[in-house]
Amino acid sequence: GQLWGHALKVLWRMSMDLLIPTAVTYISSISACEKGQQWARALNVFADLLQSSLRPNIVAYNVTVSACEKGHQWELAFQIFVDAQVRRLEPN
């Protein structure tokens, strides 16, 4: 549950070293935040993923919805779920 801080440091360090994170890097960071009950941080990383040149996949959406759900952020979870549907991604 406490690995979210390390995951965010890796993501931050990559940007400082001018390395481009992959979708897996973003998803791993979101997942670490979700497991650490850090829904707001997970949402920030998800927003960074959406702003990147990468295309988020259903796994990114699922783990972000899960983070919001665990943080009792039902409306945010629903908005993200709807966005996945708009993008024609099938939840699993």
Side-chain angles (χ1 to χ4, degrees):
Q2 297 300 319
L3 295 179
W4 62 268
H6 296 294
L8 295 181
K9 284 179 188 173
V10 168
L11 196 58
W12 176 79
R13 185 66 195 188
M14 287 181 78
S15 67
M16 298 308 296
D17 291 342
L18 302 177
L19 298 172
I20 300 170
T22 65
V24 171
T25 308
Y26 282 107
I27 293 167
S28 296
S29 296
I30 296 167
S31 180
C33 291
E34 179 252 349
K35 287 175 178 51
Q37 304 290 314
Q38 301 292 318
W39 69 268
R41 286 184 170 94
L43 202 57
N44 287 336
V45 175
F46 183 68
D48 290 345
L49 172 57
L50 293 177
Q51 295 291 320
S52 76
S53 61
L54 301 170
R55 218 175 130 211
N57 60 21
I58 194 60
V59 176
Y61 277 89
N62 285 346
V63 73
T64 305
V65 166
S66 180
C68 290
E69 178 267 325
K70 286 182 178 176
H72 306 285
Q73 302 300 311
W74 315 117
E75 290 180 22
L76 285 172
F78 183 70
Q79 288 173 5
I80 294 164
F81 175 78
V82 168
D83 188 52
Q85 289 184 323
V86 167
R87 292 176 187 252
R88 302 199 187 283
L89 299 173
E90 293 294 323
N92 56 16

